[in-house]
């Protein structure tokens, strides 16, 4: 199909409009790129922290705070020589070489008695620093008298104790259930 003069002019006008529209779009895009290049930050320090990312200093401070809060061995000291209650000593654990009674500087309060060998740490409680008793040893020697010639596995019941134990009756499951019902029955009825 051959284009007539008028149709040719219409087609040419349409192509020119399309080309002009493309050029206008390209020109507008080039202008926008120029604006972005001009306004875009060139260094990291030019950026704003809208997302609340931590700076290198903030990360280092957070790590140092966590490391400082862990326990560190501080050796053995007398109670009178406990470390100062300061930020620098937070997390320091010492073994107290003499028996002592806690003061108001302790988390547990004053008046508690502890044996020599007790471990004490400097901890932060709110804004203050206090001592915290971690561990010691419990002397159980007073709970069982050691008798010469006897051991824990010795069968040394007296005849009277043996007869008393032999006379005990073992309750049946039904009797145990009835006793429990008598003691706890009213409380369990309201929970069903």
């Amino acid at each position: 199909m051959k284009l007539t003069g008028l149709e040719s002019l219409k087609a040419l006008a349409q192509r020119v409009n399309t080309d002009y529209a493309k050029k206008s779009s390209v020109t507008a895009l080039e202008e926008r790129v120029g604006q972005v290049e001009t306004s875009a930050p060139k260094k990291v320090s030019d950026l704003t922290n809208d997302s609340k990312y931590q700076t290198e200093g903030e990360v280092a401070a957070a790590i140092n705070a966590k490391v400082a809060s862990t326990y560190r061995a501080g050796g053995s000291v007398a109670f009178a020589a406990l470390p100062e209650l300061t930020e620098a000593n937070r997390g320091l654990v010492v073994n107290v070489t003499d028996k002592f009674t806690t003061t108001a500087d302790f988390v547990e309060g004053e008046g508690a008695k502890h044996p020599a060998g007790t471990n004490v740490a400097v901890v932060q409680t709110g804004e203050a620093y206090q001592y915290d008793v971690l561990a010691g040893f419990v002397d159980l020697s007073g709970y069982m008298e050691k008798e010469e010639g006897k051991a824990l596995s010795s069968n040394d019941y007296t005849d009277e104790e043996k007869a008393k134990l032999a006379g005990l009756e073992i309750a049946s499951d039904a009797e145990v259930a009835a006793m429990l019902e008598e003691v706890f029955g009213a409380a369990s009825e309201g929970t069903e």
Side-chain angles (χ1 to χ4, degrees), residues 6-21:
L6 184 57
E7 291 175 352
S8 294
L9 286 174
K10 283 182 183 177
L12 180 60
Q14 191 173 355
R15 264 196 325 230
V16 168
N17 284 339
T18 304
D19 288 346
Y20 179 75

Side-chain angles (χ1 to χ4, degrees), residues 8-191:
S8 294
L9 286 174
K10 283 182 183 177
L12 180 60
Q14 191 173 355
R15 264 196 325 230
V16 168
N17 284 339
T18 304
D19 288 346
Y20 179 75
K22 285 180 185 176
K23 285 181 184 179
S24 294
S25 295
V26 169
T27 304
L29 185 57
E30 286 173 344
E31 287 175 9
R32 183 65 185 130
V33 167
Q35 291 171 352
V36 169
E37 285 176 342
T38 305
S39 64
K42 304 288 187 266
K43 303 180 282 183
V44 173
S45 60
D46 293 340
L47 296 172
T48 58
N49 191 6
D50 297 339
S51 298
K52 305 293 184 225
Y53 293 113
Q54 291 185 335
T55 65
E56 184 177 349
E58 291 169 329
V59 170
I63 290 171
N64 289 338
K66 293 298 181 188
V67 169
S69 68
T70 60
Y71 291 142
R72 302 178 324 270
S76 295
V77 298
F79 180 74
L82 283 173
E84 288 184 58
L85 294 171
T86 63
E87 171 65 26
N89 288 333
R90 183 173 59 151
L92 190 65
V93 178
V94 294
N95 181 273
V96 181
T97 58
D98 49 346
K99 64 182 179 176
F100 64 94
T101 303
T102 60
T103 65
D105 289 331
F106 282 77
V107 172
E108 65 185 282
E110 58 185 296
K113 295 180 186 285
H114 293 279
T118 300
N119 293 318
V120 173
V122 175
V123 297
Q124 185 172 5
T125 53
E127 295 297 317
Y129 296 96
Q130 291 185 293
Y131 300 113
D132 191 11
V133 175
L134 298 180
F137 68 91
V138 178
D139 182 8
L140 299 176
S141 63
Y143 291 97
M144 182 178 148
E145 303 265 338
K146 187 173 182 179
E147 293 182 34
E148 196 63 40
K150 291 190 175 184
L152 288 175
S153 60
S154 297
N155 185 2
D156 55 1
Y157 287 118
T158 64
D159 289 339
E160 183 183 325
E161 290 171 333
K162 203 172 192 179
K164 183 178 176 182
L165 288 173
L168 292 177
E169 291 183 39
I170 298 175
S172 69
D173 288 344
E175 291 170 319
V176 170
M179 286 185 263
L180 291 173
E181 180 66 30
E182 183 179 322
V183 173
F184 299 108
S188 65
E189 288 174 9
T191 60

